[in-house]
């Protein structure tokens, strides 16, 4: 075996995939070559490699994320890049699941629901605030353009159901499951005092109910396009399913446990956001995608492991 050098970067088995992805791009390998003898600024790298500066910046960030490159701020606040080592050492996994991250995340665009039930007022808009189909027409929710939606809504009772893949291989234990989404109630135009009981079901089990305080439109959403008016933003809401029960935004919500969900590697995980007809506050739902509202995220399902 070759001698391990002092400037070797060591990575645990859980980082193998990240490091491999960072090294898989030709531009990133060329950046490492260019930085082999001395630090360089982003503009110097762009000139040396004949690549646009924004492309260099993006690829430097990827190398920074796995600590192959570090950066400082130089004169004129320009970013100066350096390599952090001359070789790497990767620990290979020796047992099932050891090469996985402690947290695996799946991001789902809000328009990629498998089933839905909606009623007016209802609608779909894209990231620039344009309607998909006609407003208040439930048929719009079955148009193929729905996959590009950044805001979905319905009043009264209804639901959106999504199918998530289980990223864990057979035999790997999931200790917790987290789901988060930005959402609020639905009223004509907007209504700040308009509570709605929004339930999360996973594999048909009621994880918990979040009571949205209203249809939020008293200010502009941080990501909402200027041409849009009405509902502007939602609340980023998180449901957690643990070994001992479930929580909504940190408060106990049900006795549903991770074991009771019966998660299987070869079956989809069915996630449903619903306002029930018999809910005490049956006042609809607005669901925000990554380009609307206050938070740059779609639906997020996180798989948490605490031990191998």
């Amino acid at each position: 075996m070759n001698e391990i050098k002092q400037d070797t970067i060591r990575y645990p088995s859980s980082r193998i995939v990240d490091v491999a992805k960072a090294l898989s791009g030709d531009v990133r390998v060329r950046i490492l070559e260019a930085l082999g003898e001395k630090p360089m600024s982003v503009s110097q790298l762009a000139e040396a490699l004949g690549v646009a500066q924004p492309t260099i910046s993006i690829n430097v960030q990827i190398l920074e994320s796995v600590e192959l490159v570090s950066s400082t701020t130089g004169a004129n606040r320009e970013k100066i890049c350096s390599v952090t080592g001359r070789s790497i050492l990767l620990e290979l996994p020796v047992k099932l699941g050891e090469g996985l991250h402690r947290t695996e995340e799946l991001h789902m665009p809000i328009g990629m629901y498998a089933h839905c039930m909606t009623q007016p007022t209802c609608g779909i808009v894209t990231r620039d605030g344009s309607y998909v189909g006609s407003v208040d027409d439930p048929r719009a929710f079955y148009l193929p353009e729905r996959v590009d939606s950044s805001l979905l809504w319905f009043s009264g009772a209804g639901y959106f159901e999504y199918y998530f893949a289980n990223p864990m291989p057979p035999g790997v234990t999931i200790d917790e499951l987290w789901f988060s989404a930005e959402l609020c109630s639905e009223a004509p135009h907007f209504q700040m005092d308009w509570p709605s009981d929004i339930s999360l079901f996973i594999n048909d089990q009621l994880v918990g109910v979040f009571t949205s305080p209203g249809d939020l439109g008293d200010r502009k959403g941080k990501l909402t396009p200027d041409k849009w008016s009405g509902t502007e933003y939602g609340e980023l809401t998180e449901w957690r399913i643990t070994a001992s029960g479930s929580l909504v935004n940190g408060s106990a919500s049900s006795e549903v446990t991770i074991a009771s969900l019966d998660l299987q590697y070869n079956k989809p995980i069915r996630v449903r956001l619903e306002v029930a007809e018999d809910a005490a506050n049956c006042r609809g739902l607005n669901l925000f995608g990554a380009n609307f509202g206050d938070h740059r995220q779609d639906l997020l399902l996180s798989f948490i492991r605490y031990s191998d």
Side-chain angles (χ1 to χ4, degrees):
M1 180 179 292
N2 293 335
E3 181 182 353
I4 298 175
K5 301 177 181 179
Q6 291 295 321
D7 58 357
T8 296
I9 310 169
R10 300 169 182 248
Y11 294 98
S13 57
S14 60
R15 300 297 304 278
I16 286 180
V17 174
D18 295 332
V19 176
K21 287 180 178 179
L23 293 173
S24 66
D26 178 66
V27 171
R28 295 189 285 279
V29 173
R30 292 175 62 199
I31 289 172
L32 293 174
E33 290 175 345
L35 296 175
E37 295 183 354
K38 63 179 181 179
M40 299 177 72
S41 69
V42 170
S43 60
Q44 288 173 329
L45 285 168
E47 182 178 356
L49 302 180
V51 177
Q53 190 163 321
T55 301
I56 293 293
S57 296
I58 292 170
N59 284 279
V60 164
Q61 289 175 8
I62 294 172
L63 292 170
E64 287 177 319
S65 71
V66 294
E67 300 168 4
L68 289 171
V69 166
S70 62
S71 301
T72 58
T73 302
N76 300 320
R77 302 187 63 80
E78 190 168 19
K79 191 172 188 177
I80 307 298
C81 307
S82 306
V83 292
T84 55
R86 298 300 177 183
S87 60
I88 63 174
L89 176 64
L90 293 172
E91 296 180 3
L92 296 178
V94 296
K95 56 183 178 180
L96 188 65
E98 195 173 63
L100 299 173
H101 294 141
R102 295 298 183 190
T103 300
E104 296 286 343
E105 295 183 342
L106 294 181
H107 299 259
M108 180 74 73
I110 62 171
M112 292 190 67
Y113 45 83
H115 303 283
C116 71
M117 184 183 76
T118 63
Q119 59 182 332
T121 56
C122 61
I124 306 176
V125 296
T126 59
R127 62 186 302 169
D128 65 354
S130 301
Y131 287 105
V132 172
S134 300
V135 68
D136 293 338
D137 185 350
R139 294 177 299 176
F141 289 86
Y142 299 97
L143 295 174
E145 294 86 351
R146 67 185 172 87
V147 298
D148 297 320
S149 58
S150 285
L151 178 64
L152 306 170
W153 72 92
F154 61 78
S155 64
Y159 66 82
F160 296 110
E161 183 169 270
Y162 300 83
Y163 283 9
F164 284 83
N166 186 341
M168 297 299 182
V172 173
T173 300
I174 301 170
D175 294 303
E176 293 189 8
L177 196 66
W178 301 359
F179 177 79
S180 65
E182 183 178 355
L183 36 75
C184 70
S185 315
E186 162 56 20
H189 193 52
F190 77 91
Q191 181 66 48
M192 297 299 291
D193 184 14
W194 192 257
S196 185
D197 296 334
I198 301 170
S199 300
L200 177 73
F201 290 84
I202 295 183
N203 289 350
D204 295 326
Q205 295 198 53
L206 177 58
V207 174
V209 179
F210 165 67
T211 300
S212 167
D215 184 347
L216 309 179
D218 60 327
R219 60 167 175 81
K220 198 69 186 170
K222 296 176 183 178
L223 303 170
T224 303
D226 292 337
K227 68 180 289 185
W228 181 255
S229 63
T231 304
E232 293 286 341
Y233 63 96
E235 291 193 19
L236 190 61
T237 305
E238 183 180 74
W239 287 262
R240 292 189 181 189
I241 304 93
T242 74
S244 57
S246 298
L247 306 93
V248 178
N249 292 335
S251 298
S253 60
S254 77
E255 296 182 355
V256 172
T257 65
I258 192 74
S260 66
L261 293 179
D262 190 29
L263 301 178
Q264 300 182 37
Y265 80 96
N266 59 348
K267 291 185 178 181
I269 300 170
R270 291 172 285 111
V271 176
R272 185 169 78 251
L273 288 165
E274 178 175 346
V275 178
E277 291 185 359
D278 60 353
N281 299 293
C282 183
R283 295 191 177 98
L285 167 66
N286 273 279
L287 186 58
F288 296 80
N291 300 293
F292 243 80
D294 278 354
H295 302 276
R296 196 172 293 280
Q297 99 165 38
D298 290 304
L299 306 180
L300 177 61
L301 188 64
S302 301
F303 301 76
I304 315 297
R305 297 186 311 122
Y306 293 128
S307 61
D308 294 321

